[in-house]
Amino acid sequence: MKTICLLFEIHQPYRLKKYRFYDIGADHYYFDDYANEEILKRNAYQSYIPAAKMLLEMINASDKKFKVALSLSGVAMDQFETYCPEFLDCVRDLVATKCCELLCEPYAHSLSALQDPEEFQRECKAQSKKIYETFKFRPKTFVNTGFIYNDEIGAEVAAMGFKGIITEGAKHVLGWKSANYVYNTTAKHSVGLLFRNQKLSEDIALNFQGGLDARTYMSWIEQSPADEKVYTIAMNFDVVGGIHPASTGIFEFFKALPRFAEEKKITFSMPQEVFENIPSVDTASVGHPISWDGYDKDVSAWCGNELQHEALRAIYSISERLNLTKNDVLKEDYSYLLSADHFKFMSTKYGTYNPFSPYESSFDAFSNYMNVVSDIQIRLKQEFPEDIETEELNPLVKQIDNQGKEIEKLQAQLAEAEAKLAAAGIAPEAAPKKAPAKKAAAPKKAAAKKSSKKAEK
């Protein structure tokens, strides 16, 4: 039986305000709160919330036969908590049905998988923790920023304990192979690998104009080779109601999918169900990084020119040192600067105009970003003297941490001892103070007696 694995990506970056050269060292707040709130709320009320309610309706109407997967970036969740918490409630309702799987991705929706393995690991751990704290769900499937993947990333993800990975079904990687099977990674054969079906995904995400109907769409899957079992269809969530407004019929299209799927004996599955129930047919090797971006399906949109290379070098060069600080505000600012969007705004791949960029040119995006990075570097120097090498700094910070833990331990022991004295009815500091007081008083009384005797004589 054929099954559809439907996935939606949800991400919004923290966009930067106009940060000039003379702001460096004087202004430590970098983000355009007005734009971030306006864009998030617009997407939430036009797309995210009505689309999430639609998915819940589809799950209930199909007697929980319809299933879906969502991937929310950590920085998007931070903004939803501030500007639109009702969307997170919608996601909680979906998770409660047990028909919605939440996937893990880098917290900041960053390029750390390509730049810094340690930062990549930190972000994935932070993201898993955030998902559990927010939705009480532990993700087992991983999808990277922009579906970026290669064998090295697969090995790192497998080492973190994930059971499956989803990436792009790039034709230059698959060759004669079909995307509609379960594969496994080269590093660990127990970790499954699903490839996005490019055509089925982009027929909705890019080409939907109201002419596509659910019956025809399902017939394409029905008529495909019988042994092709899994159809991974993935897109950004704002495709539903945002990029394609409600007037195009996009909501009606999705609502009709479960009915026509049932007619044609096609099911819906969450990624983890696929990895658990459908055996892999082969190992898939991906030597060079691929993504779901553009025609080339590579990573050149984020790191394809010298501006992007310099910006990436500048921000990741301070990663190790910055993660030694205890300054949570500084760490948070740094995390938000890692979002891949900042580097895509610097792209020249598709000409000088990027419809999603708040900048007039790629150079403007680069200049603004580098000014912010310069200020981050100044703040970091204030935390740690520049003349101390990171290799020297690391053991010093650990020593301070160990001393702090020892102090906490001793304070806990002292509190426990004081509690026992209080239970026995003894004031904690009464005994040691009383004895010295008596000894000090005795000489004074003797002196007083001598002076009185003199007066009598």
Side-chain angles (χ1 to χ4, degrees):
M1 184 175 285
K2 300 175 186 294
T3 193
I4 295 171
C5 189
L6 182 62
L7 162 64
F8 292 105
E9 169 70 44
I10 304 163
H11 167 66
Q12 288 293 334
Y14 275 89
R15 292 164 181 81
L16 302 176
K17 68 182 181 182
K18 194 166 186 177
Y19 194 86
R20 299 173 177 84
F21 178 78
Y22 56 75
D23 291 324
I24 299 173
D27 181 4
H28 300 320
Y29 193 77
Y30 315 126
F31 307 106
D32 188 340
D33 291 338
Y34 175 81
N36 290 326
E37 181 176 4
E38 191 274 328
I39 292 170
L40 187 90
K41 284 186 173 180
R42 184 177 72 236
N43 278 279
Y45 294 124
Q46 289 183 356
S47 172
Y48 300 150
I49 291 175
K53 289 180 177 179
M54 175 194 73
L55 294 177
L56 184 62
E57 179 185 331
M58 292 165 68
I59 290 170
N60 293 330
S62 66
D63 196 24
K64 296 191 175 181
K65 293 177 182 177
F66 174 76
K67 297 176 182 180
V68 68
L70 299 177
S71 181
L72 295 84
S73 71
V75 295
M77 283 192 277
D78 287 348
Q79 291 183 78
F80 282 121
E81 287 174 350
T82 303
Y83 303 128
C84 190
E86 55 264 46
F87 174 67
L88 298 179
D89 291 334
C90 292
V91 177
R92 289 187 186 95
D93 291 340
L94 286 169
V95 172
T97 66
K98 301 187 185 304
C99 295
C100 176
E101 180 180 350
L102 300 182
L103 312 187
C104 184
E105 63 173 81
Y107 191 97
H109 200 73
S110 75
L111 303 173
S112 56
L114 299 172
Q115 300 293 324
D116 186 340
E118 291 184 4
E119 181 62 37
F120 179 54
Q121 190 176 75
R122 278 192 290 266
E123 284 196 64
C124 292
K125 287 180 178 178
Q127 178 73 355
S128 294
K129 181 182 178 184
K130 180 78 171 181
I131 290 173
Y132 183 75
E133 289 175 348
T134 308
F135 305 111
K136 297 297 181 284
F137 186 96
R138 296 192 186 279
K140 297 180 180 179
T141 305
F142 179 82
V143 59
N144 202 8
T145 304
F147 281 47
I148 294 171
Y149 179 81
N150 63 8
D151 291 338
E152 290 182 13
I153 295 171
E156 291 169 12
V157 172
M160 286 187 274
F162 292 100
K163 303 302 182 184
I165 304 169
I166 301 176
T167 186
E168 174 65 10
K171 293 179 182 178
H172 66 277
V173 168
L174 289 171
W176 57 269
K177 295 179 180 179
S178 169
N180 306 324
Y181 294 97
V182 179
Y183 295 88
N184 51 43
T185 65
T186 56
K188 195 173 182 181
H189 290 181
S190 61
V191 177
L193 190 61
L194 280 179
F195 289 96
R196 185 181 84 134
N197 186 302
Q198 182 181 329
K199 183 183 184 304
L200 290 175
S201 299
E202 294 182 356
D203 278 339
I204 302 174
L206 302 180
N207 304 323
F208 185 87
Q209 297 296 331
L212 180 62
D213 65 90
R215 185 193 297 273
T216 301
Y217 191 80
M218 283 298 166
S219 69
W220 294 342
I221 297 175
E222 180 191 31
Q223 294 163 13
S224 62
D227 61 341
E228 295 187 1
K229 301 297 185 184
V230 186
Y231 297 80
T232 305
I233 301 169
M235 64 201 73
N236 286 315
F237 205 24
D238 59 2
V239 162
V240 188
I243 295 173
H244 301 306
S247 59
T248 63
I250 189 74
F251 285 91
E252 288 71 22
F253 170 81
F254 274 101
K255 287 177 183 177
L257 289 179
R259 177 163 59 91
F260 290 114
E262 188 172 15
E263 280 184 11
K264 300 178 184 300
K265 296 182 171 54
I266 299 169
T267 65
F268 289 87
S269 298
M270 294 178 289
Q272 197 53 43
E273 291 178 320
V274 171
F275 292 127
E276 289 173 355
N277 300 323
I278 301 178
S280 65
V281 296
D282 197 4
T283 296
S285 179
V286 182
H288 297 286
I290 57 174
S291 79
W292 72 356
D293 182 77
Y295 177 79
D296 299 323
K297 305 301 179 186
D298 59 15
V299 296
S300 58
W302 298 280
C303 45
N305 63 41
E306 290 303 318
L307 299 179
Q308 293 166 318
H309 291 164
E310 176 57 24
L312 286 164
R313 185 207 61 76
I315 194 65
Y316 281 99
S317 67
I318 63 173
S319 174
E320 183 181 0
R321 198 175 184 90
L322 186 134
N323 278 285
L324 296 174
T325 182
K326 301 300 180 185
N327 187 331
D328 291 336
V329 175
L330 184 57
K331 281 185 174 181
E332 185 179 78
D333 289 348
Y334 176 79
S335 175
Y336 295 163
L337 289 173
L338 295 180
S339 293
D341 310 71
H342 301 303
F343 307 101
K344 199 165 189 177
F345 295 152
M346 303 175 200
S347 177
T348 54
K349 182 176 181 178
Y350 304 111
T352 57
Y353 178 66
N354 182 339
F356 299 105
S357 174
Y359 304 98
E360 293 183 4
S361 70
S362 57
F363 185 75
D364 286 343
F366 171 76
S367 298
N368 203 70
Y369 185 82
M370 292 302 287
N371 286 342
V372 172
V373 172
S374 296
D375 190 76
I376 281 274
Q377 291 171 336
I378 290 172
R379 291 167 65 189
L380 188 57
K381 288 174 187 176
Q382 292 171 347
E383 291 279 325
F384 304 120
E386 194 174 13
D387 56 349
I388 301 178
E389 296 292 334
T390 304
E391 291 76 12
E392 300 175 67
L393 192 60
N394 206 358
L396 288 174
V397 171
K398 286 183 179 178
Q399 184 179 352
I400 293 169
D401 284 345
N402 291 336
Q403 288 174 346
K405 290 176 183 176
E406 185 64 26
I407 290 170
E408 288 177 4
K409 182 180 177 181
L410 293 171
Q411 287 175 336
Q413 291 174 350
L414 178 61
E416 184 180 353
E418 289 178 346
K420 288 180 180 179
L421 288 172
I426 304 171
E429 297 184 0
K433 284 185 178 179
K434 193 173 179 182
K438 285 182 178 179
K439 290 178 183 179
K444 290 183 180 179
K445 289 180 180 178
K449 287 179 181 178
K450 286 181 182 180
S451 60
S452 61
K453 286 180 181 179
K454 286 181 182 179
E456 287 173 5
K457 288 180 182 179

